Amino acid sequence: MAEEIIIPETKNFIEAFVAEDIAQGGQFEGMQVHTRFPPEPNGYLHIGHCKALCIDFGTAEKFGGICNLRMDDTNPTKEDTEYVDAIKEDIHWLGFDWDDRFFYASQYFDKMYECAEELIKKGLAYVCELTPEQMREYRGDLTTPARSPYRDRPIEESLDLFRRMRAGEFPNGAMTLRAKIDLASGNFNMRDPAIYRINHMPHHATGDKWCIYPMYDFAHPIEDAMEHITHSLCSLEFEAHRPLYNWVVEHCDLPSKPRQIEFARLGINYTVMSKRKLRLLVEEGRVSGWDDPRMPTLCGLRRRGYTPKSVRSFCERIGVSKAASTVEFGFLEHCLREDLNDTAKRAMAVLRPLRLTITNYPADRQERFPVENHPDHPELGSREVTFSRSLWIEQDDFMEEKVGKFFRFFPGNEVRLKGAYVVKCTGCRKDENGQVVEVFCEYDPESRGGNPADGRKVKSTVHWVDATNALDAEVRLYSNLFTDPDPDAADKNFLDCLNPDSLEVLTGCKVEAALADAAAPESFQFMRLGYFCPDSRDSSPEHLVFNRSVSLKDSFKPGK
């Protein structure tokens, strides 16, 4: 007796279709759900690909199925193993795996050619000698059918010409093989589409074996069928191509009949999703590489400090629909902030240091104070920080004259130093240019731990770093790469929308000694400043570099 298939609760229309298909009476009744993720290995995956990736792998995972990883290399271009390796790394980083099911589309070239000859012999394909310009000219319109003077070419003649195309007798563009479907179809993809074209270019996997290559709309359903894919999940632009997908599956001798289902692609404001445009940013040096933390690539997001959980949560929560929409970049940040707020250890760092001298604290004295690593997770323990007469504070934590509701350092005001003592500001010292270079204060010895013995209220708590053992660090503050929320609009040059202030590099920052061995992918909340991570490429114990992953303040309002 076959093992009973448990159908989980569905959340979106794709899952509903899958559940219907594998249920009793469905076209895949009793079968294991089998999907695939087919990236083109000519660039790095970005957050848009990630939505498709999560749908492909996630749908299979939810139904106890499997998902293949297939490199779409039907174009005879030089495949770069750098991209293949990066794609694999990104998928594993997100927590998905394809086991031993890794394929290349080019593995099926022989089968695709066999299917093409089969269609010719059935009278369902013919060799056409129209040039690309003529094909566009003869395409017709909604009231005028397309036409080709070669449509009624005898089967034997088309078969001979197609074999000679394969043998390399004809130059690029001289001929195509077209499916013989319906020249009057209201769906222009069905108006005898080209399924093979001549291209005298060697392929990375097959070398000079082929000088004709299949078109994607013909290759895709064959690849799916050869891998026994049950559900071919595609972005919405393939919806109009589905009749052609089904036509190929129906008329070719294939081992299975997959079902194609389409969903809307992911759009995010303040970014671009075109692989061509992202490559241009890299090639022109507008960014430091594909993994620049400002890029929407998964390797860029990872370097910036994004976590697999935050990215998968984002993809799950934006939902799956047929309607195209644009998601706020702030929501992606919101998902990261949620995760890091729960998981990131706390640390103290001063980005724009200003010296604080406690004038009544003994010059030769140093104390140690315990500070919790996470206020909500006592199981993460605590660490000791040193405290001395000389500390570093943030420049904007001092004002010579108080303005508004400012309750930090100004002459006469008391401030609590995080985990240490209450101090009272007594004044400051300026340099020859009138810039404040040092703040003076006195500490209350009876306030160890930050609580005054007499119970008086102190309105503000500030972070600090002990100047006697503080570590120097470089800190990189990242903002949106584009100033325009829609840099990809048709009427704009996206390069004109680049944000000149998308990266601010701060040097001479001070961090606590406990961060000496900090290394990616660990993340920290720098108290009162944001979430930061060591840069995976540039940071080392000799030269600490931290990237700001996201600020503490959440501007995104769920449900807006």
Side-chain angles (χ1 to χ4, degrees), residues 1 17 24 26 115 165 169 245 351 412 460 474 496 500 518-519 554:
M1 183 174 177
F17 284 148
Q24 186 174 0
C115 288
M165 286 168 60
E169 288 190 27
Y245 182 102
L351 305 192
S460 184
E474 176 183 318
D496 294 336
D554 194 345

Side-chain angles (χ1 to χ4, degrees), residues 1-6 22 29-32 64:
M1 183 174 177
E3 182 179 346
E4 181 183 2
I5 293 195
I6 305 298
I22 64 176
E29 179 183 350
M31 293 176 62
Q32 183 180 40

Side-chain angles (χ1 to χ4, degrees), residues 351-372:
L351 305 192
R352 296 174 175 85
L354 174 62
R355 187 174 293 275
L356 176 70
T357 300
I358 308 172
T359 56
N360 66 332
Y361 192 89
D364 59 351
R365 184 179 174 188
Q366 188 178 71
E367 295 181 74
R368 292 180 177 274
F369 290 91
V371 179
E372 74 277 5

Side-chain angles (χ1 to χ4, degrees), residues 114-159:
E114 177 187 313
C115 288
E117 281 208 355
E118 177 189 348
L119 290 175
I120 296 173
K121 292 173 183 177
K122 289 179 178 178
L124 295 176
Y126 60 95
V127 171
C128 180
E129 297 179 49
L130 291 177
T131 66
E133 293 76 17
Q134 289 173 324
M135 286 186 72
R136 284 191 291 271
E137 180 184 347
Y138 296 167
R139 195 182 186 198
D141 53 35
L142 291 175
T143 57
T144 307
R147 55 194 173 94
S148 170
Y150 306 99
R151 196 171 197 263
D152 296 322
R153 174 169 260 160
I155 289 175
E156 295 75 13
E157 185 179 339
S158 279
L159 192 60

Side-chain angles (χ1 to χ4, degrees), residues 345-351 368-373 382-387 392 418 463-473 475 509-518 524-527 529 541 544 546:
K345 290 183 178 180
R346 276 39 175 175
M348 291 199 285
V350 174
L351 305 192
R368 292 180 177 274
F369 290 91
V371 179
E372 74 277 5
N373 286 323
S382 62
R383 67 197 184 284
E384 285 192 334
V385 295
T386 62
F387 181 87
W392 295 111
K418 170 69 178 175
H463 67 281
W464 51 274
V465 176
D466 186 355
T468 63
N469 60 11
L471 302 174
D472 284 333
V475 174
C509 304
K510 308 295 181 181
V511 301
E512 62 174 88
L515 295 176
D517 298 321
F524 302 89
Q525 185 196 98
F526 286 176
M527 294 179 187
L529 299 175
L544 292 171
F546 290 93

